[in-house]
Amino acid sequence: NIALQSITSTMNEAESFMIDNPQLAYNLLDKIDYTSIKRNKDKAKYALLFTEAQYKNYYYIENDSLIKVAVLYYSKHKKWDYLFRSYYSLGCVYSLLKLYPDAAVAFAQANELINYVKSDFQKGLLFSRMGDIFYDCYDYNRAEYYYINATFFFDKAGKDYYTACAKGSIANCRVQTGDYYGSIDIYNELIDWTDSVDSLN
């Protein structure tokens, strides 16, 4: 079936670009007519990938109906790595919609599957988003806890920029809780890191 092969290969290609070139991933997926997809496994993969591409490109997501297709399929078929990504994406969607309790639940469900995730970068992203949820809900102590975890995994992944962002978020939490000396120490560390990066360029 040529049409099926085309959809499958397009989705695989889009997935390969998702991290380094999400705009290209989105452009590839946007060529697929979702209503023409017949197999449930392909519908689920498209639902996950398209939601990921929308989120990474800062496109507006209207509701959770598409990503829930992926959540339901991967839950039923116990595809744990894809289910982790689906719950993570569901949490991101709820965050965009400012449905923070729902986002916290979705991220917590992703966290339960974290041992099935090989990518330290993905783990860092999850904890960073969890920190954002609690920060936006003014629970700065819990937010700091998750940002510290995010820093650990971003550092393991060698993602210096993301590590710095997570450390900045920790500093912001400390400002909110009145730990000004602790926040200043982190800000100074980030300034030194920025200067060292600039000196290499």
Side-chain angles (χ1 to χ4, degrees):
N1 188 315
I2 296 176
L4 175 59
Q5 290 178 349
S6 176
I7 289 173
T8 301
S9 63
T10 299
M11 288 197 295
N12 289 340
E13 186 178 7
E15 187 170 20
S16 71
F17 287 114
M18 191 63 70
I19 293 177
D20 296 326
N21 195 337
Q23 183 62 62
L24 178 55
Y26 178 88
N27 293 341
L28 289 166
L29 293 165
D30 197 40
K31 296 176 181 179
I32 298 174
D33 177 10
Y34 179 69
T35 61
S36 70
I37 302 175
K38 304 301 181 185
R39 300 192 306 178
N40 288 335
K41 64 180 295 186
D42 293 326
K43 289 181 179 179
K45 188 167 186 178
Y46 176 88
L48 172 58
L49 294 178
F50 194 71
T51 302
E52 286 181 333
Q54 285 181 300
Y55 182 75
K56 288 177 180 291
N57 287 292
Y58 307 101
Y59 293 154
Y60 177 69
I61 301 176
E62 187 173 342
N63 55 56
D64 63 358
S65 60
L66 185 62
I67 187 57
K68 276 194 167 181
V69 172
V71 170
L72 291 173
Y73 179 86
Y74 294 125
S75 296
K76 179 179 178 181
H77 293 275
K78 298 179 171 56
K79 300 284 188 179
W80 304 126
D81 52 343
Y82 278 95
L83 183 58
F84 168 87
R85 287 167 57 185
S86 299
Y87 275 131
Y88 171 78
S89 295
L90 180 64
C92 291
V93 169
Y94 285 144
S95 296
L96 291 175
L97 299 175
K98 301 188 184 304
L99 300 173
Y100 298 126
D102 293 328
V105 170
F107 288 141
Q109 289 170 311
N111 192 25
E112 291 179 1
L113 299 167
I114 202 162
N115 290 334
Y116 295 97
V117 180
K118 296 179 180 179
S119 169
D120 288 324
F121 181 51
Q122 283 189 318
K123 293 175 184 179
L125 288 174
L126 171 64
F127 287 122
S128 181
R129 296 290 83 77
M130 292 176 82
D132 291 344
I133 288 295
F134 289 105
Y135 190 94
D136 289 341
C137 293
Y138 312 109
D139 190 343
Y140 302 114
N141 288 318
R142 289 185 75 181
E144 180 175 342
Y145 167 79
Y146 287 114
Y147 287 136
I148 289 171
N149 279 279
T151 300
F152 172 77
F153 285 110
F154 285 144
D155 191 48
K156 280 187 68 178
K159 299 289 187 178
D160 292 343
Y161 171 78
Y162 288 88
T163 301
C165 289
K167 285 183 178 180
S169 296
I170 293 170
N172 292 339
C173 288
R174 293 186 180 181
V175 169
Q176 296 295 341
T177 57
D179 182 7
Y180 301 114
Y181 289 110
S183 63
I184 289 171
D185 287 343
I186 296 175
Y187 289 138
N188 286 335
E189 179 185 344
L190 292 175
I191 290 171
D192 291 341
W193 175 78
T194 302
D195 289 343
S196 68
V197 171
D198 289 342
S199 68
L200 295 175
N201 295 330

